[in-house]
Amino acid sequence: MRRHIGVVAVLTAITGLLGAASAVAALPQDIRSAPPDGFTFDFGRWPYPLNEEVGAELQALAGRYPNLARLQSIAKTRKGRDLWVLEITNQATGSGTSKPGLWLDGNIHAGELTGRAYLQYFAARLLYSYGKDDLSTEMVDTRTFYVMPVFDADGGDLLLSRHPAWAGYVAGDHPGEDLDGDGYITQMRVPDSSSDDGYRTYPEGLDPNRPRRSAFLDRRRRDPLTGEREGADFNRNWSAEWRADEPGAGPRPFSLPEVAAVADFILEHDNVFFTYTIHSGGGARSYMVRPPMNQPYDWMPGEDHFFYKRLGNIWAALSKGGITENNYYSFLFNTSMLDDNGEQRGYSGTMVGFADDWAYMDAGIHSLTPEVNGSGWDYDGDGWIRPQEEERWHREEKGGMFDSPWVAYDHPELGMVEIGGSRGIPPALDETLQEHSEIQYDYLLHIASLSPLIRVVDLVSESLGGARYRITASIQNQGGTATYVTQRAIDIRRDKPVVVAIDVDGGEIIEGETLSNIGHLAGFIAGHEMQAPPIATVEWIVESAGSGPVSVSVEVHTPKAGKHRATTRIRQ
C-alpha cells in the first residue's frame, strides 16, 4: 500500500518548527500528494452537473463502496431538491457516529459553484484510495466524513442551467431569450460613440430593459420601490452574533430551511468536531477564512487561536503562500481606502451571521471557510491568477470557446444590433481545478488527523490473592486536539467528558464504578495553556465468580474523540 507522506509527515514537522513564511520557503514548490494509479476525474467538464446528477453520482459511489459510504437526503430545498449528504467511514471499524466527524459542504452561495466540484473530487478520491494509500485508509478507518457538495441547490442549479444549450434549462426560470439560436443567452450591442468601448450593451432578449439576473437570484437587493428587504443569504442566516440590520440576515436566524437542516444535522451528530464550507469568491488568489469573523484574534482563547495559527501554517505551505484571515482584519484593511465617491469600500460595518462563527461560537467546534479560485492559469508563478492571465488562458488554451461570435440581428425594438460576447467563464476548470482539488484533499486529510482520538492504550490485571484482581486501564487521547475540541465548548457548556465503562464477564466489581467520568484529555498539539493530563488511569477491584473463565472489557467514549474498547482475560 502506498504511503502518503505529503502533508502529515512533512508539513507537520516543518511548520512545528518554523513560521508560515519560513515553512513555505523551506518546502518544495509543489508538495501535493498524487492520487493512486488508476484514479480519474473529469476536470474539464463545464457546466458542472446539476444537483440531481450529483446525487446520482454519490449514490453510485455508495453502491460501489457499500461498506465505506452511505447516502442520505437530509432535507428538501425550497424548490423541492434534495440536500444530499454522503457519509464516508469504514463500517467494519465502527458506525459513523462512533468516530470523530468532519462536515464538508460546497456551493453555499448560488454563484460560488466550485465547491460542488471540489467535494465530488474529494469523495471519489477518498473512497478510491481506501486500501491503496496509508493516510486515506487510516482516516476512513478512524474518522467519519459527512460530504454535502451542494448547499444552495436551487440557486446553483439555476446558474448551471441558464443557457438553452445546457441541461435543465427552463425558459421561464431565466430572463432573456436566445434570439440568434446559438444555444446561449449572451449580450446585444449597438454603436455608441459616447461609451468608452464604442458600444452600448444590453442583455440578449426581446426586452432590452429586462433585469440581467433572475428574480430568484436577485434576492440580495432591497426593492428600491417597496422597501421590501432582500432575501436571506445562506451565509448570514446563522445565529452567531446575528443582527437584523445585516444585509441578507433574513427575518430570523435559520429562516432558510436549508440552513436550519444543516445546523440540525451537525448538532444531532455530536461527533462532528470540524466544519468546512467551500466558497469560491477568492478573486485572483485563494485564501482561507477563520473565526471569529467580526472580532480581533485575541477575542478567542489562546488555546483555540493557537490551533488556527497551526492550520494557517499548513495552508500557507500547501497553497504556496496563501493567507488565513478573518473579516475583522479584512475590514480594517479594505475600508482604509475610499472609492471614487469618498465612500468606504470593502465589507460593510456589520459582519455577522456566518456559518463558521456559528460552528465555533454556538456549537463549540472548529471551522474554516476556504475562498478558492480556479479558472485561468498562473503564468508568471507569483501565486495570483489575474484577469489578464485568465483571458490569456481563455484565448490560448481554450481557443476563446466561452465567447459567442458577434452576429447581426434585426431587433424589433432596437433595430440592427449585434448579438454575442461572453457566455461566462467557468469558475474552475482543467489544470487549475485539478491543482486546487488536490490541495483541498491533502488539507482536509491533515485536518482530519488533528481530531481528538480516544484509545485504551493498556489494560492489565494484577492478582491480589484469592479470587480478587486489580484492573488498571490507561486511557490516552492519540489525536491532535483535546477531547473538548475548543475552549469555547467548555465556556458554553457544549463539551462532553471522557466516560469509561467496565464490563466483567464471570465476576463482579468490588471496588470502582461501572461508569467513570475522567474529564478531558489533551492531544498531541497541546499548547502551553492546556491543563488536561495526557494519559489517565482508572482502577477497579474485581472478584471472579467460581472457577470459570473471567474476562474484563473496558470501553472509553466521548462523542468528538470516538469510542474504543479493549478486553483482557483474567483467567482462561
Side-chain angles (χ1 to χ4, degrees), residues 11 80 197 261 270 278 295 359 363 396 408 454 471 483 494 544 570:
L11 294 182
D197 62 358
D270 205 14
I278 300 180
Q295 303 289 344
E396 295 183 5
I454 202 71
I471 305 298
T483 52
R494 286 217 179 253
S544 63
I570 295 176

Side-chain angles (χ1 to χ4, degrees), residues 346-398:
Y347 289 99
S348 63
T350 55
M351 297 176 290
V352 293
F354 293 97
D356 56 357
D357 271 354
W358 171 81
Y360 178 76
M361 293 180 177
D362 291 1
I365 57 181
H366 285 303
S367 182
L368 281 174
T369 300
E371 294 277 6
V372 190
N373 64 3
S375 271
W377 188 251
D378 180 16
Y379 287 96
D380 61 8
D382 68 350
W384 300 75
I385 299 178
R386 305 178 192 279
Q388 309 93 291
E389 292 175 304
E390 183 178 71
E391 181 60 20
R392 176 183 170 185
W393 168 83
H394 181 212
R395 297 301 169 196
E396 295 183 5
E397 312 300 332
K398 308 305 291 183

Side-chain angles (χ1 to χ4, degrees), residues 98-119:
S98 70
K99 304 166 190 174
L102 289 83
W103 168 270
L104 318 175
D105 67 73
N107 203 173
I108 188 172
H109 284 142
E112 299 183 28
L113 298 161
T114 59
R116 65 172 68 193
Y118 294 129
L119 290 180

Side-chain angles (χ1 to χ4, degrees), residues 80-293:
R81 291 176 173 87
D82 286 292
L83 292 182
W84 295 111
V85 175
L86 186 68
E87 177 191 276
I88 300 176
T89 194
N90 184 1
Q91 295 293 327
T93 59
S95 67
T97 54
S98 70
K99 304 166 190 174
L102 289 83
W103 168 270
L104 318 175
D105 67 73
N107 203 173
I108 188 172
H109 284 142
E112 299 183 28
L113 298 161
T114 59
R116 65 172 68 193
Y118 294 129
L119 290 180
Q120 282 181 277
Y121 172 90
F122 178 84
R125 177 175 167 182
L126 183 61
L127 289 166
Y128 183 86
S129 298
Y130 186 82
K132 303 179 183 73
D133 171 83
D134 284 347
L135 181 59
S136 301
T137 301
E138 179 187 352
M139 292 302 103
V140 174
D141 282 342
T142 60
R143 273 77 168 179
T144 301
F145 299 85
Y146 301 103
V147 185
M148 188 176 78
V150 187
F151 201 144
D152 185 1
D154 293 341
D157 275 12
L158 268 178
L159 284 174
L160 289 170
S161 62
R162 65 183 182 271
H163 292 302
W166 291 359
Y169 175 79
V170 177
D173 289 345
H174 302 272
E177 295 84 29
D178 176 22
L179 299 181
D180 62 354
D182 69 346
Y184 299 93
I185 299 174
T186 53
Q187 298 84 42
M188 305 184 296
R189 69 183 186 183
V190 296
D192 184 354
S193 60
S194 65
S195 66
D196 292 339
D197 62 358
Y199 291 97
R200 183 169 67 256
T201 62
Y202 303 90
E204 182 181 357
L206 293 173
D207 180 5
N209 298 310
R210 68 166 174 81
R212 292 178 180 265
R213 289 162 57 92
S214 72
F216 185 81
L217 293 177
D218 209 30
R219 60 189 183 275
R220 289 202 65 185
R221 293 172 176 80
R222 188 178 185 185
D223 190 307
L225 178 64
T226 66
E228 184 178 355
R229 282 285 299 267
E230 68 283 340
D233 183 311
F234 277 61
N235 202 31
R236 300 295 187 277
N237 194 227
W238 302 75
S239 58
E241 295 193 324
W242 183 90
R243 284 174 51 175
D245 61 339
E246 172 74 26
R252 57 176 173 77
F254 307 114
S255 60
L256 288 169
E258 298 93 335
V259 171
V262 169
D264 286 345
F265 183 95
I266 292 170
L267 292 177
E268 289 165 3
H269 290 72
D270 205 14
N271 60 319
V272 174
F273 83 100
F274 201 99
T275 67
Y276 196 78
T277 296
I278 300 180
H279 290 238
S280 53
R285 179 161 196 158
S286 300
Y287 60 95
M288 192 67 62
V289 182
R290 53 156 286 185
M293 297 291 274

Side-chain angles (χ1 to χ4, degrees), residues 409-432:
Y409 182 83
D410 188 5
H411 192 275
E413 183 172 335
L414 298 175
M416 291 305 300
V417 301
E418 289 183 308
I419 296 177
S422 178
R423 304 170 184 171
I425 298 290
L429 209 65
D430 296 344
E431 292 90 346
T432 309

